[in-house]
Amino acid sequence: MKVALIQTRTPASHAAAVAHTLPLVEDAIARGARFVLTPEGTNILQKDRETLLPQLTRLEDDPVVAALRGTARARGVWIDIGSALVLREDGAAANRQVVIDPEGGISATYDKLHMFDVDLPNGETARESATYAPGDRAVTADVDGVRFGLSICYDLRFPALYRAMALAGAEVMTIPAAFTRPTGEAHWEVLMRARAIETGSYVLAAAQGGFHEDRRGTWGRSLVVGPWGEVVAGLDHDEPGVLLADLDLAAPRKARAAIPALANARPFTGP
């Protein structure tokens, strides 16, 4: 399976996000991608909640989601919006991953479980829970007969989520992100490789990169990791771009047969 990861520097409005993202997606499809993954916050990035919230719509009304559904249908490919910032049915905001099938239908959605509420050593703070309502369930999606596990950014630091999805049959984990620059430099690649090794899965990590209109900085360096922990493909910068990789769909089964950690776990008590 040929996959593409789209690295963006998403603007602070939906119209600008459409103009920014669609040419990258079309380029990926023209180069043979069957599955295209975009980063967290594909439809809009704005860290000021008072500016952001009035712009959010329900998923079915979001113009970026609509444009990418049209592209998937016109080109006959899978497009996974790593996340769209949208309104839930109850009016709360959600950070939601959206898997679009080749007919343009929405085959799965996942609301980010773990909220990025941190105080970093460099003085940077984040309180994602002040803006978004967290999800409450893990989600997998079948893509051309291959099971994908869905997650978003900070979820990366909670390995039990990936183990649960692997035990449910997921062999490819999507981890779209808008990683901060300090944490990206320190932890991005090693954590992605760890999640791949622990579960014997591919990891697809499409990233935001660079310095954005809302003055945030994101790490970039989108990455595909194989189930043995090897870096299959990666970008070495934070500029917008396309990363292509061919997945060997037999590789997860081979890795899990060699190191059967999913099967060998034992219950325990304590401490």
Side-chain angles (χ1 to χ4, degrees):
M1 178 185 288
K2 185 178 288 293
V3 301
L5 277 57
I6 306 301
Q7 185 161 291
T8 65
R9 189 174 299 151
T10 295
S13 74
H14 291 98
V18 170
H20 177 68
T21 304
L22 255 62
L24 295 168
V25 172
E26 290 283 6
D27 179 40
I29 296 168
R31 293 162 65 184
R34 173 64 176 168
F35 175 88
V36 180
L37 176 66
T38 68
E40 180 180 26
T42 291
N43 66 329
I44 189 170
L45 272 190
Q46 172 55 258
K47 64 182 179 181
D48 179 67
R49 69 187 307 273
E50 301 305 322
T51 303
L52 172 70
L53 290 176
Q55 298 186 71
L56 299 187
T57 70
R58 294 177 61 170
L59 181 66
E60 57 268 30
D61 300 321
D62 185 275
V64 180
V65 174
L68 290 172
R69 291 183 70 179
T71 299
R73 180 171 57 252
R75 305 302 184 198
V77 301
W78 294 85
I79 298 178
D80 184 341
I81 301 174
S83 89
L85 310 181
V86 297
L87 294 179
R88 304 193 316 183
E89 291 70 16
D90 63 4
N95 190 340
R96 179 171 294 170
Q97 189 167 171
V98 185
V99 181
I100 303 168
D101 67 30
E103 288 74 46
I106 295 175
S107 68
T109 64
Y110 161 76
D111 285 1
K112 187 176 183 179
L113 276 168
H114 300 100
M115 298 290 97
F116 188 58
D117 292 353
V118 302
D119 299 292
L120 299 176
N122 70 343
E124 187 174 345
T125 65
R127 293 291 180 271
E128 197 170 34
S129 62
T131 302
Y132 304 101
D136 59 7
R137 64 187 182 98
V139 177
T140 63
D142 287 332
V143 175
D144 286 348
V146 180
R147 186 158 295 180
F148 282 55
L150 310 186
S151 68
I152 301 170
C153 201
Y154 190 50
D155 286 331
L156 173 66
R157 296 183 182 272
F158 300 87
L161 172 62
Y162 299 91
R163 182 175 182 85
M165 293 191 292
L167 289 171
E171 296 182 326
V172 180
M173 306 296 178
T174 62
I175 315 180
F179 241 63
T180 68
R181 296 181 75 83
T183 57
E185 185 174 13
H187 300 149
W188 173 256
E189 182 176 320
V190 68
L191 284 174
M192 295 297 179
R193 296 181 72 183
R195 297 296 85 83
I197 293 166
E198 290 165 351
T199 61
S201 304
Y202 279 104
V203 163
L204 309 182
Q208 296 280 352
F211 292 93
H212 298 255
E213 292 175 30
D214 65 359
R215 299 184 301 281
R216 84 177 70 201
T218 51
W219 180 241
R221 293 158 182 81
S222 296
L223 195 63
V224 177
V225 182
W228 200 245
E230 74 281 17
V231 175
V232 174
L235 299 179
D236 61 0
H237 57 77
D238 58 17
E239 294 299 312
V242 176
L243 178 66
L244 291 167
D246 289 304
L247 306 189
D248 175 3
L249 299 179
R253 292 187 291 277
K254 292 177 182 177
R256 293 174 184 184
I259 306 290
L262 294 174
N264 286 351
R266 299 184 64 246
F268 52 86
T269 60

